[in-house]
Amino acid sequence: MSGVQILKVTEAEGEQRLDRWLKRRFPQVTQGAVEKMCRTGQLRVDGGRVKASTRVAPGQEVRVPPLPKADPAPGAGNALAAPRTPGISAADEKMIQACVLWKDEHIIALNKPPGLPSQGGSGQGDRHVDGLTAALMFGYKERPKLVHRLDKDTSGVLLLARTDRVARALSEAFRLKTTRKIYWAAVAGVPNPKMGTVRFGLVKAPGHGRGGEGEKMICIHPSKIDQTEGAKRATTDYAVLDALGTRASWVALVPITGRTHQLRAHMAELGHPIVGDGKYGGSGQENLGDGWGAQLGGEISRKLHLHARSISFDHPITKKRITLTAPLPDHMARTWKTLGWSAADVPADPFEDL
């Protein structure tokens, strides 16, 4: 038996029923045991008596009485023991669980790392978020489901639904554009004007050549979209948040539509490709301060500098407006430090007053 413990509900655990919170922390505890501990006052939240159905919230302290020890897992004590999730390596299980930015009983939000595809597909390999969701069940019977995607090299907030009902509701919210995503990017040069809207349509490049044709989007002038077979309308709002002279700038981007490679293609069409974007900015071109070229050189990483910084959505169950913010990935954080840019100096939503 363990002794009395005082445990704090973490931000990552979100709001959930006390019995479910406790059983995820201590799988050996039965529902009957939880209800008995509540009846006898042994299990308390912030010092008060509670029911098994009481909801706990981040920051609250839970008094947990002595509990029976869990049976040792097979292979316990063996440095080479198998991971808890079948079919997923221990390293990948730890990695994807560390990506959890926020969760409650209905939704999990990840801060997806760059280089990890959202789903499998052409050239994506077997390792992707969708293939690792079994490590994100946290006591549920079903794997959480992706409700939108990020490009492989784009990092940031990615939502997963924990039930079919919530998946349908979130998918509908994305379709109706009631969600709001703000991306941060470092781009070559400084867009002029400092705030604007890009309305170029997008069409897939023909063929499957070595240059990435067929997986690359071509911008089409708005006046020619209707006459171009396969072209789709695309709209992006942008705002310059800071700049390094005329050589590079930090921009916020809001995709009003959600087309493939939309932000990357639109910024390149403006003459300000995203730093590290070899597909749209030309990987061999150094940026010499003329507003072109996807590489800044020096200490700046050659990885893509595009990050899904925040997402706001109406919670399908609680109906509350939720806003989640993801810290920059390491390579972008280093660039921001090198260039003297700080998140504390810019508004969370530069488009708020428009």
Side-chain angles (χ1 to χ4, degrees):
M1 301 280 282
S2 62
V4 172
Q5 303 176 66
I6 305 296
L7 303 176
K8 183 168 283 190
V9 182
T10 67
E11 286 290 338
E13 289 171 320
E15 294 189 6
Q16 56 182 300
R17 285 172 56 119
L18 174 62
D19 51 1
R20 292 177 181 169
W21 175 87
L22 188 70
K23 286 192 284 185
R24 283 171 192 151
R25 289 253 188 153
F26 304 98
Q28 75 272 25
V29 177
T30 65
Q31 183 67 26
V34 176
E35 292 177 0
K36 181 178 179 180
M37 287 187 284
C38 291
R39 283 198 309 272
T40 56
Q42 298 178 75
L43 188 61
R44 292 174 175 256
V45 175
D46 287 344
R49 296 178 75 106
V50 286
K51 296 180 180 179
S53 60
T54 298
R55 288 189 173 273
V56 293
Q60 289 188 313
E61 291 187 340
V62 182
R63 178 196 185 275
V64 180
L67 300 173
K69 289 186 177 179
D71 293 331
N78 179 353
L80 299 177
R84 293 188 299 274
T85 308
I88 298 176
S89 72
D92 277 349
E93 181 183 64
K94 183 177 180 181
M95 179 277 296
I96 200 67
Q97 290 177 355
C99 291
V100 174
L101 188 66
W102 176 89
K103 70 180 173 72
D104 66 5
E105 292 180 76
H106 312 286
I107 298 166
I108 295 173
L110 302 181
N111 185 7
K112 187 189 83 65
L116 181 68
S118 297
Q119 290 180 297
S122 177
Q124 299 287 15
D126 298 327
R127 187 172 178 269
H128 45 78
V129 173
D130 196 39
L132 297 174
T133 52
L136 298 172
M137 291 163 65
F138 301 118
Y140 277 45
K141 293 180 180 179
E142 300 292 328
R143 300 190 311 160
K145 300 157 186 67
L146 284 170
V147 292
H148 65 123
R149 294 182 298 172
L150 292 174
D151 288 348
K152 175 182 176 181
D153 294 321
T154 303
S155 57
V157 186
L158 187 66
L159 298 184
L160 296 90
R162 305 187 75 176
T163 64
D164 288 337
R165 174 191 176 192
V166 171
R168 287 192 295 271
L170 286 176
S171 295
E172 182 70 358
F174 278 102
R175 190 182 70 81
L176 297 175
K177 299 181 176 59
T178 59
T179 57
R180 181 170 179 78
K181 292 185 284 185
I182 298 178
Y183 290 72
W184 279 0
V187 305
V190 183
N192 184 27
K194 296 286 185 72
M195 183 175 282
T197 300
V198 188
R199 293 188 172 87
F200 280 89
L202 295 169
V203 64
K204 279 188 178 181
H208 298 279
R210 292 176 61 185
E213 296 87 354
E215 295 178 358
K216 187 173 182 178
M217 307 304 289
I218 298 173
C219 285
I220 305 296
H221 191 277
S223 65
K224 297 181 179 178
I225 295 173
D226 292 339
Q227 293 83 46
T228 305
E229 186 179 354
K232 295 181 178 179
R233 296 190 178 276
T235 306
T236 300
D237 288 338
Y238 74 86
V240 176
L241 302 180
D242 206 341
L244 178 67
T246 59
R247 193 169 180 218
S249 53
W250 167 11
V251 297
L253 301 166
V254 173
I256 307 303
T257 51
R259 309 300 184 199
T260 300
H261 295 177
Q262 176 177 316
L263 303 181
R264 297 164 64 183
H266 273 175
M267 294 314 295
E269 184 66 22
L270 289 186
H272 302 285
I274 295 172
V275 172
D277 192 349
K279 178 170 285 193
Y280 291 93
S283 59
Q285 290 179 294
E286 283 290 313
N287 175 348
L288 302 176
D290 56 359
W292 187 255
Q295 305 303 336
L296 295 183
E299 297 296 315
I300 306 302
S301 170
R302 296 175 69 89
K303 291 181 179 179
L304 184 70
H305 284 59
L306 179 60
H307 177 70
R309 171 66 173 176
S310 67
I311 191 168
S312 299
F313 60 95
D314 295 323
H315 196 291
I317 306 302
T318 68
K319 307 306 179 185
K320 293 180 181 177
R321 188 70 174 175
I322 305 290
T323 298
L324 304 173
T325 302
L328 290 170
D330 290 344
H331 74 281
M332 288 182 68
R334 288 194 300 270
T335 296
W336 261 236
K337 185 176 181 180
T338 299
L339 301 183
W341 295 342
S342 171
D345 298 334
V346 301
D349 186 347
F351 308 92
E352 200 166 33
D353 296 329
L354 296 181

mmCIF file of all heavy atoms in Angstrom, residues 9-44:
data_model
loop_
_atom_site.group_PDB
_atom_site.id
_atom_site.type_symbol
_atom_site.label_atom_id
_atom_site.label_comp_id
_atom_site.label_asym_id
_atom_site.label_seq_id
_atom_site.Cartn_x
_atom_site.Cartn_y
_atom_site.Cartn_z
ATOM 1 N N VAL A 9 -3.891 18.461 -10.236
ATOM 2 C CA VAL A 9 -4.403 18.220 -11.591
ATOM 3 C C VAL A 9 -3.632 19.128 -12.546
ATOM 4 O O VAL A 9 -3.575 20.347 -12.348
ATOM 5 C CB VAL A 9 -5.915 18.509 -11.688
ATOM 6 C CG1 VAL A 9 -6.431 18.213 -13.087
ATOM 7 C CG2 VAL A 9 -6.673 17.681 -10.651
ATOM 8 N N THR A 10 -3.035 18.559 -13.570
ATOM 9 C CA THR A 10 -2.203 19.323 -14.489
ATOM 10 C C THR A 10 -3.028 19.947 -15.618
ATOM 11 O O THR A 10 -4.157 19.529 -15.879
ATOM 12 C CB THR A 10 -1.112 18.442 -15.119
ATOM 13 O OG1 THR A 10 -1.740 17.469 -15.977
ATOM 14 C CG2 THR A 10 -0.299 17.726 -14.054
ATOM 15 N N GLU A 11 -2.431 20.933 -16.296
ATOM 16 C CA GLU A 11 -3.085 21.563 -17.444
ATOM 17 C C GLU A 11 -3.366 20.531 -18.539
ATOM 18 O O GLU A 11 -4.394 20.564 -19.203
ATOM 19 C CB GLU A 11 -2.194 22.674 -18.014
ATOM 20 C CG GLU A 11 -2.140 23.926 -17.162
ATOM 21 C CD GLU A 11 -3.455 24.702 -17.161
ATOM 22 O OE1 GLU A 11 -4.239 24.522 -18.107
ATOM 23 O OE2 GLU A 11 -3.693 25.454 -16.204
ATOM 24 N N ALA A 12 -2.401 19.610 -18.738
ATOM 25 C CA ALA A 12 -2.551 18.609 -19.800
ATOM 26 C C ALA A 12 -3.735 17.683 -19.546
ATOM 27 O O ALA A 12 -4.293 17.114 -20.477
ATOM 28 C CB ALA A 12 -1.271 17.792 -19.938
ATOM 29 N N GLU A 13 -4.116 17.528 -18.268
ATOM 30 C CA GLU A 13 -5.224 16.623 -17.947
ATOM 31 C C GLU A 13 -6.586 17.279 -18.158
ATOM 32 O O GLU A 13 -7.598 16.590 -18.270
ATOM 33 C CB GLU A 13 -5.094 16.139 -16.501
ATOM 34 C CG GLU A 13 -3.929 15.174 -16.320
ATOM 35 C CD GLU A 13 -3.642 14.843 -14.863
ATOM 36 O OE1 GLU A 13 -3.720 15.762 -14.011
ATOM 37 O OE2 GLU A 13 -3.322 13.676 -14.575
ATOM 38 N N GLY A 14 -6.603 18.600 -18.218
ATOM 39 C CA GLY A 14 -7.846 19.304 -18.503
ATOM 40 C C GLY A 14 -8.919 19.071 -17.450
ATOM 41 O O GLY A 14 -8.624 18.694 -16.312
ATOM 42 N N GLU A 15 -10.184 19.306 -17.819
ATOM 43 C CA GLU A 15 -11.312 19.067 -16.920
ATOM 44 C C GLU A 15 -11.872 17.676 -17.198
ATOM 45 O O GLU A 15 -12.100 17.321 -18.349
ATOM 46 C CB GLU A 15 -12.399 20.126 -17.140
ATOM 47 C CG GLU A 15 -11.965 21.528 -16.749
ATOM 48 C CD GLU A 15 -13.122 22.504 -16.780
ATOM 49 O OE1 GLU A 15 -14.268 22.049 -17.006
ATOM 50 O OE2 GLU A 15 -12.887 23.699 -16.569
ATOM 51 N N GLN A 16 -12.105 16.910 -16.139
ATOM 52 C CA GLN A 16 -12.686 15.579 -16.320
ATOM 53 C C GLN A 16 -13.251 15.085 -14.993
ATOM 54 O O GLN A 16 -13.000 15.661 -13.928
ATOM 55 C CB GLN A 16 -11.645 14.601 -16.861
ATOM 56 C CG GLN A 16 -10.379 14.473 -16.034
ATOM 57 C CD GLN A 16 -9.386 13.533 -16.676
ATOM 58 O OE1 GLN A 16 -9.666 12.363 -16.882
ATOM 59 N NE2 GLN A 16 -8.200 14.057 -17.005
ATOM 60 N N ARG A 17 -14.031 14.004 -15.056
ATOM 61 C CA ARG A 17 -14.603 13.421 -13.840
ATOM 62 C C ARG A 17 -13.488 12.908 -12.942
ATOM 63 O O ARG A 17 -12.466 12.393 -13.410
ATOM 64 C CB ARG A 17 -15.538 12.268 -14.206
ATOM 65 C CG ARG A 17 -16.880 12.683 -14.764
ATOM 66 C CD ARG A 17 -17.635 11.467 -15.273
ATOM 67 N NE ARG A 17 -17.792 10.434 -14.243
ATOM 68 C CZ ARG A 17 -18.948 9.989 -13.788
ATOM 69 N NH1 ARG A 17 -20.067 10.508 -14.254
ATOM 70 N NH2 ARG A 17 -19.002 9.032 -12.887
ATOM 71 N N LEU A 18 -13.714 13.023 -11.633
ATOM 72 C CA LEU A 18 -12.719 12.590 -10.657
ATOM 73 C C LEU A 18 -12.410 11.100 -10.799
ATOM 74 O O LEU A 18 -11.243 10.695 -10.749
ATOM 75 C CB LEU A 18 -13.219 12.888 -9.240
ATOM 76 C CG LEU A 18 -12.357 12.368 -8.078
ATOM 77 C CD1 LEU A 18 -10.977 13.002 -8.120
ATOM 78 C CD2 LEU A 18 -13.053 12.650 -6.740
ATOM 79 N N ASP A 19 -13.437 10.255 -10.982
ATOM 80 C CA ASP A 19 -13.178 8.821 -11.057
ATOM 81 C C ASP A 19 -12.302 8.480 -12.265
ATOM 82 O O ASP A 19 -11.388 7.661 -12.173
ATOM 83 C CB ASP A 19 -14.485 8.007 -11.067
ATOM 84 C CG ASP A 19 -15.504 8.478 -12.103
ATOM 85 O OD1 ASP A 19 -15.200 9.436 -12.854
ATOM 86 O OD2 ASP A 19 -16.611 7.896 -12.154
ATOM 87 N N ARG A 20 -12.557 9.141 -13.394
ATOM 88 C CA ARG A 20 -11.748 8.864 -14.581
ATOM 89 C C ARG A 20 -10.327 9.393 -14.421
ATOM 90 O O ARG A 20 -9.369 8.751 -14.852
ATOM 91 C CB ARG A 20 -12.420 9.473 -15.814
ATOM 92 C CG ARG A 20 -13.726 8.761 -16.164
ATOM 93 C CD ARG A 20 -14.438 9.409 -17.329
ATOM 94 N NE ARG A 20 -15.697 8.709 -17.621
ATOM 95 C CZ ARG A 20 -16.621 9.164 -18.443
ATOM 96 N NH1 ARG A 20 -16.446 10.319 -19.066
ATOM 97 N NH2 ARG A 20 -17.734 8.472 -18.660
ATOM 98 N N TRP A 21 -10.229 10.572 -13.826
ATOM 99 C CA TRP A 21 -8.889 11.138 -13.572
ATOM 100 C C TRP A 21 -8.076 10.186 -12.698
ATOM 101 O O TRP A 21 -6.912 9.903 -12.989
ATOM 102 C CB TRP A 21 -9.036 12.503 -12.894
ATOM 103 C CG TRP A 21 -7.737 13.127 -12.484
ATOM 104 C CD1 TRP A 21 -6.921 13.921 -13.247
ATOM 105 C CD2 TRP A 21 -7.089 13.010 -11.208
ATOM 106 N NE1 TRP A 21 -5.811 14.300 -12.533
ATOM 107 C CE2 TRP A 21 -5.881 13.755 -11.278
ATOM 108 C CE3 TRP A 21 -7.401 12.349 -10.013
ATOM 109 C CZ2 TRP A 21 -5.003 13.850 -10.194
ATOM 110 C CZ3 TRP A 21 -6.522 12.443 -8.941
ATOM 111 C CH2 TRP A 21 -5.336 13.192 -9.034
ATOM 112 N N LEU A 22 -8.696 9.668 -11.617
ATOM 113 C CA LEU A 22 -7.977 8.808 -10.678
ATOM 114 C C LEU A 22 -7.587 7.478 -11.319
ATOM 115 O O LEU A 22 -6.463 6.993 -11.152
ATOM 116 C CB LEU A 22 -8.841 8.554 -9.436
ATOM 117 C CG LEU A 22 -8.139 7.821 -8.294
ATOM 118 C CD1 LEU A 22 -7.093 8.720 -7.658
ATOM 119 C CD2 LEU A 22 -9.133 7.353 -7.240
ATOM 120 N N LYS A 23 -8.501 6.898 -12.118
ATOM 121 C CA LYS A 23 -8.222 5.585 -12.701
ATOM 122 C C LYS A 23 -7.172 5.661 -13.807
ATOM 123 O O LYS A 23 -6.507 4.676 -14.099
ATOM 124 C CB LYS A 23 -9.520 4.945 -13.201
ATOM 125 C CG LYS A 23 -10.399 4.441 -12.040
ATOM 126 C CD LYS A 23 -11.534 3.562 -12.522
ATOM 127 C CE LYS A 23 -12.631 4.377 -13.151
ATOM 128 N NZ LYS A 23 -13.788 3.526 -13.523
ATOM 129 N N ARG A 24 -7.043 6.841 -14.424
ATOM 130 C CA ARG A 24 -5.965 6.975 -15.412
ATOM 131 C C ARG A 24 -4.615 7.106 -14.728
ATOM 132 O O ARG A 24 -3.595 6.697 -15.266
ATOM 133 C CB ARG A 24 -6.249 8.170 -16.326
ATOM 134 C CG ARG A 24 -7.311 7.811 -17.353
ATOM 135 C CD ARG A 24 -7.795 8.978 -18.159
ATOM 136 N NE ARG A 24 -8.996 8.558 -18.894
ATOM 137 C CZ ARG A 24 -9.972 9.349 -19.251
ATOM 138 N NH1 ARG A 24 -9.911 10.622 -18.974
ATOM 139 N NH2 ARG A 24 -11.022 8.877 -19.902
ATOM 140 N N ARG A 25 -4.614 7.697 -13.543
ATOM 141 C CA ARG A 25 -3.371 7.789 -12.760
ATOM 142 C C ARG A 25 -3.036 6.448 -12.092
ATOM 143 O O ARG A 25 -1.869 6.089 -11.978
ATOM 144 C CB ARG A 25 -3.531 8.860 -11.674
ATOM 145 C CG ARG A 25 -3.554 10.294 -12.192
ATOM 146 C CD ARG A 25 -2.283 11.001 -11.858
ATOM 147 N NE ARG A 25 -2.311 12.422 -12.169
ATOM 148 C CZ ARG A 25 -1.573 13.329 -11.536
ATOM 149 N NH1 ARG A 25 -0.764 12.952 -10.563
ATOM 150 N NH2 ARG A 25 -1.622 14.589 -11.880
ATOM 151 N N PHE A 26 -4.092 5.759 -11.654
ATOM 152 C CA PHE A 26 -3.901 4.499 -10.916
ATOM 153 C C PHE A 26 -4.826 3.434 -11.506
ATOM 154 O O PHE A 26 -5.935 3.200 -10.997
ATOM 155 C CB PHE A 26 -4.210 4.704 -9.430
ATOM 156 C CG PHE A 26 -3.416 5.797 -8.780
ATOM 157 C CD1 PHE A 26 -3.963 7.065 -8.612
ATOM 158 C CD2 PHE A 26 -2.110 5.580 -8.360
ATOM 159 C CE1 PHE A 26 -3.241 8.079 -8.016
ATOM 160 C CE2 PHE A 26 -1.377 6.588 -7.767
ATOM 161 C CZ PHE A 26 -1.937 7.847 -7.598
ATOM 162 N N PRO A 27 -4.406 2.791 -12.595
ATOM 163 C CA PRO A 27 -5.265 1.826 -13.295
ATOM 164 C C PRO A 27 -5.740 0.667 -12.422
ATOM 165 O O PRO A 27 -6.737 0.019 -12.745
ATOM 166 C CB PRO A 27 -4.371 1.324 -14.435
ATOM 167 C CG PRO A 27 -3.346 2.395 -14.623
ATOM 168 C CD PRO A 27 -3.112 2.963 -13.279
ATOM 169 N N GLN A 28 -5.028 0.387 -11.321
ATOM 170 C CA GLN A 28 -5.404 -0.748 -10.472
ATOM 171 C C GLN A 28 -6.639 -0.471 -9.618
ATOM 172 O O GLN A 28 -7.225 -1.380 -9.027
ATOM 173 C CB GLN A 28 -4.227 -1.140 -9.561
ATOM 174 C CG GLN A 28 -3.954 -0.200 -8.376
ATOM 175 C CD GLN A 28 -3.029 0.946 -8.709
ATOM 176 O OE1 GLN A 28 -2.928 1.343 -9.857
ATOM 177 N NE2 GLN A 28 -2.339 1.459 -7.705
ATOM 178 N N VAL A 29 -7.080 0.790 -9.544
ATOM 179 C CA VAL A 29 -8.206 1.168 -8.693
ATOM 180 C C VAL A 29 -9.527 0.903 -9.419
ATOM 181 O O VAL A 29 -9.712 1.319 -10.564
ATOM 182 C CB VAL A 29 -8.112 2.660 -8.296
ATOM 183 C CG1 VAL A 29 -9.327 3.074 -7.467
ATOM 184 C CG2 VAL A 29 -6.835 2.920 -7.501
ATOM 185 N N THR A 30 -10.444 0.228 -8.748
ATOM 186 C CA THR A 30 -11.749 -0.095 -9.353
ATOM 187 C C THR A 30 -12.741 1.047 -9.125
ATOM 188 O O THR A 30 -12.547 1.894 -8.239
ATOM 189 C CB THR A 30 -12.331 -1.377 -8.752
ATOM 190 O OG1 THR A 30 -12.604 -1.143 -7.354
ATOM 191 C CG2 THR A 30 -11.348 -2.544 -8.892
ATOM 192 N N GLN A 31 -13.832 1.034 -9.904
ATOM 193 C CA GLN A 31 -14.864 2.058 -9.743
ATOM 194 C C GLN A 31 -15.490 1.969 -8.351
ATOM 195 O O GLN A 31 -15.742 2.992 -7.706
ATOM 196 C CB GLN A 31 -15.945 1.877 -10.808
ATOM 197 C CG GLN A 31 -17.052 2.931 -10.779
ATOM 198 C CD GLN A 31 -16.578 4.323 -11.150
ATOM 199 O OE1 GLN A 31 -15.595 4.459 -11.865
ATOM 200 N NE2 GLN A 31 -17.242 5.344 -10.648
ATOM 201 N N GLY A 32 -15.718 0.738 -7.877
ATOM 202 C CA GLY A 32 -16.293 0.565 -6.539
ATOM 203 C C GLY A 32 -15.410 1.159 -5.461
ATOM 204 O O GLY A 32 -15.902 1.784 -4.504
ATOM 205 N N ALA A 33 -14.088 1.002 -5.618
ATOM 206 C CA ALA A 33 -13.152 1.544 -4.636
ATOM 207 C C ALA A 33 -13.193 3.070 -4.639
ATOM 208 O O ALA A 33 -13.137 3.700 -3.571
ATOM 209 C CB ALA A 33 -11.743 1.041 -4.930
ATOM 210 N N VAL A 34 -13.294 3.660 -5.832
ATOM 211 C CA VAL A 34 -13.355 5.130 -5.913
ATOM 212 C C VAL A 34 -14.598 5.643 -5.188
ATOM 213 O O VAL A 34 -14.527 6.587 -4.388
ATOM 214 C CB VAL A 34 -13.380 5.600 -7.389
ATOM 215 C CG1 VAL A 34 -13.541 7.116 -7.467
ATOM 216 C CG2 VAL A 34 -12.112 5.182 -8.118
ATOM 217 N N GLU A 35 -15.750 5.003 -5.433
ATOM 218 C CA GLU A 35 -16.999 5.457 -4.823
ATOM 219 C C GLU A 35 -16.971 5.280 -3.302
ATOM 220 O O GLU A 35 -17.468 6.138 -2.555
ATOM 221 C CB GLU A 35 -18.172 4.700 -5.444
ATOM 222 C CG GLU A 35 -18.388 5.082 -6.915
ATOM 223 C CD GLU A 35 -19.480 4.299 -7.587
ATOM 224 O OE1 GLU A 35 -20.095 3.447 -6.906
ATOM 225 O OE2 GLU A 35 -19.726 4.523 -8.792
ATOM 226 N N LYS A 36 -16.341 4.210 -2.844
ATOM 227 C CA LYS A 36 -16.232 3.991 -1.390
ATOM 228 C C LYS A 36 -15.346 5.059 -0.760
ATOM 229 O O LYS A 36 -15.665 5.595 0.319
ATOM 230 C CB LYS A 36 -15.667 2.599 -1.111
ATOM 231 C CG LYS A 36 -15.551 2.288 0.384
ATOM 232 C CD LYS A 36 -15.026 0.871 0.629
ATOM 233 C CE LYS A 36 -14.909 0.597 2.127
ATOM 234 N NZ LYS A 36 -14.403 -0.766 2.387
ATOM 235 N N MET A 37 -14.219 5.403 -1.424
ATOM 236 C CA MET A 37 -13.317 6.439 -0.891
ATOM 237 C C MET A 37 -14.014 7.790 -0.822
ATOM 238 O O MET A 37 -13.754 8.592 0.072
ATOM 239 C CB MET A 37 -12.056 6.530 -1.749
ATOM 240 C CG MET A 37 -11.096 5.354 -1.574
ATOM 241 S SD MET A 37 -9.524 5.583 -2.456
ATOM 242 C CE MET A 37 -10.019 5.258 -4.153
ATOM 243 N N CYS A 38 -14.920 8.045 -1.779
ATOM 244 C CA CYS A 38 -15.685 9.291 -1.753
ATOM 245 C C CYS A 38 -16.702 9.287 -0.606
ATOM 246 O O CYS A 38 -16.839 10.278 0.123
ATOM 247 C CB CYS A 38 -16.396 9.513 -3.088
ATOM 248 S SG CYS A 38 -15.289 9.885 -4.462
ATOM 249 N N ARG A 39 -17.423 8.164 -0.453
ATOM 250 C CA ARG A 39 -18.440 8.066 0.602
ATOM 251 C C ARG A 39 -17.835 8.251 1.986
ATOM 252 O O ARG A 39 -18.442 8.870 2.866
ATOM 253 C CB ARG A 39 -19.143 6.700 0.539
ATOM 254 C CG ARG A 39 -20.172 6.544 -0.552
ATOM 255 C CD ARG A 39 -21.100 5.364 -0.267
ATOM 256 N NE ARG A 39 -20.382 4.129 0.028
ATOM 257 C CZ ARG A 39 -19.974 3.255 -0.884
ATOM 258 N NH1 ARG A 39 -20.228 3.491 -2.172
ATOM 259 N NH2 ARG A 39 -19.334 2.150 -0.545
ATOM 260 N N THR A 40 -16.650 7.699 2.177
ATOM 261 C CA THR A 40 -16.010 7.746 3.504
ATOM 262 C C THR A 40 -15.163 9.001 3.703
ATOM 263 O O THR A 40 -14.561 9.188 4.758
ATOM 264 C CB THR A 40 -15.119 6.504 3.709
ATOM 265 O OG1 THR A 40 -14.158 6.435 2.642
ATOM 266 C CG2 THR A 40 -15.963 5.232 3.712
ATOM 267 N N GLY A 41 -15.096 9.864 2.680
ATOM 268 C CA GLY A 41 -14.364 11.118 2.828
ATOM 269 C C GLY A 41 -12.860 10.984 2.721
ATOM 270 O O GLY A 41 -12.129 11.932 3.032
ATOM 271 N N GLN A 42 -12.385 9.810 2.286
ATOM 272 C CA GLN A 42 -10.937 9.632 2.165
ATOM 273 C C GLN A 42 -10.372 10.331 0.920
ATOM 274 O O GLN A 42 -9.221 10.761 0.903
ATOM 275 C CB GLN A 42 -10.599 8.140 2.081
ATOM 276 C CG GLN A 42 -10.995 7.328 3.303
ATOM 277 C CD GLN A 42 -10.655 5.860 3.095
ATOM 278 O OE1 GLN A 42 -9.483 5.473 3.160
ATOM 279 N NE2 GLN A 42 -11.665 5.052 2.821
ATOM 280 N N LEU A 43 -11.199 10.421 -0.115
ATOM 281 C CA LEU A 43 -10.794 11.068 -1.369
ATOM 282 C C LEU A 43 -11.395 12.467 -1.379
ATOM 283 O O LEU A 43 -12.614 12.630 -1.304
ATOM 284 C CB LEU A 43 -11.311 10.246 -2.557
ATOM 285 C CG LEU A 43 -10.837 10.645 -3.959
ATOM 286 C CD1 LEU A 43 -9.328 10.533 -4.088
ATOM 287 C CD2 LEU A 43 -11.514 9.759 -5.008
ATOM 288 N N ARG A 44 -10.534 13.494 -1.417
ATOM 289 C CA ARG A 44 -11.010 14.871 -1.316
ATOM 290 C C ARG A 44 -10.364 15.752 -2.382
ATOM 291 O O ARG A 44 -9.245 15.473 -2.825
ATOM 292 C CB ARG A 44 -10.711 15.451 0.071
ATOM 293 C CG ARG A 44 -11.518 14.783 1.188
ATOM 294 C CD ARG A 44 -11.113 15.271 2.564
ATOM 295 N NE ARG A 44 -11.963 14.709 3.602
ATOM 296 C CZ ARG A 44 -12.942 15.372 4.239
ATOM 297 N NH1 ARG A 44 -13.170 16.648 3.930
ATOM 298 N NH2 ARG A 44 -13.668 14.793 5.150
#
